[in-house]
Coordinates of all heavy atoms in Angstrom, one line a residue:
R1173 N 142.8 61.8 84.0 CA 143.5 62.9 84.7 C 143.5 62.7 86.2 O 142.6 62.2 86.8 CB 143.0 64.3 84.4 CG 141.5 64.6 84.9 CD 141.4 66.0 85.4 NE 142.2 66.3 86.5 CZ 142.0 65.9 87.8 NH1 141.0 65.1 88.1 NH2 142.9 66.2 88.8
R1174 N 144.6 63.1 86.8 CA 144.7 63.2 88.3 C 145.8 64.2 88.7 O 146.6 64.5 87.8 CB 145.0 61.8 88.9 CG 146.3 61.2 88.4 CD 146.2 59.6 88.5 NE 147.5 59.0 88.2 CZ 148.0 58.9 87.0 NH1 147.3 59.3 85.9 NH2 149.2 58.4 86.7
A1175 N 145.7 64.6 89.9 CA 146.7 65.6 90.4 C 148.0 64.9 90.7 O 148.2 64.2 91.7 CB 146.2 66.3 91.6
K1177 N 151.7 64.6 91.9 CA 152.4 65.2 93.0 C 153.9 65.4 92.7 O 154.6 66.3 93.2 CB 152.2 64.5 94.3 CG 150.8 64.3 94.7 CD 150.1 65.7 94.9 CE 148.6 65.5 95.2 NZ 147.9 66.7 95.4
G1229 N 152.6 73.6 98.9 CA 151.8 72.7 98.0 C 152.5 72.3 96.8 O 151.9 71.5 96.0
A1230 N 153.8 72.7 96.6 CA 154.4 72.4 95.3 C 155.8 71.8 95.6 O 156.7 71.9 94.8 CB 154.5 73.6 94.5
H1233 N 156.5 69.1 93.0 CA 156.3 69.6 91.7 C 157.5 70.4 91.2 O 158.0 70.3 90.1 CB 155.1 70.4 91.5 CG 153.9 69.8 92.2 ND1 153.7 69.8 93.5 CD2 152.8 69.1 91.7 CE1 152.5 69.2 93.8 NE2 152.0 68.8 92.7
Ligands
LIG1273 C1 142.1 74.8 93.8 C2 143.0 73.5 94.0 C3 144.2 73.7 94.7 C4 145.1 72.6 94.8 N1 146.3 72.8 95.4 C5 147.2 71.8 95.4 C6 148.5 72.0 96.0 O1 148.8 73.1 96.4 N2 149.3 71.0 96.0 C7 149.0 69.7 95.5 O2 149.8 68.8 95.5 N3 147.8 69.5 95.0 C8 146.8 70.5 94.9 N4 145.6 70.3 94.4 C9 145.2 68.9 93.9 C10 144.2 68.2 94.8 O3 144.9 67.7 96.0 C11 143.6 67.1 94.0 O4 143.0 67.7 92.9 C12 142.5 66.3 94.8 O5 143.2 65.6 95.9 C13 141.7 65.3 94.0 O6 142.6 64.4 93.4 P1 142.7 64.3 91.8 O7 142.8 65.6 91.2 O8 143.9 63.4 91.5 O9 141.4 63.6 91.4 C14 144.7 71.4 94.2 C15 143.5 71.2 93.6 C16 142.6 72.3 93.5 C17 141.3 72.1 92.7

Side-chain angles (χ1 to χ4, degrees):
R1173 67 137 301 280
R1174 61 205 185 283
K1177 304 297 178 183
H1233 316 76

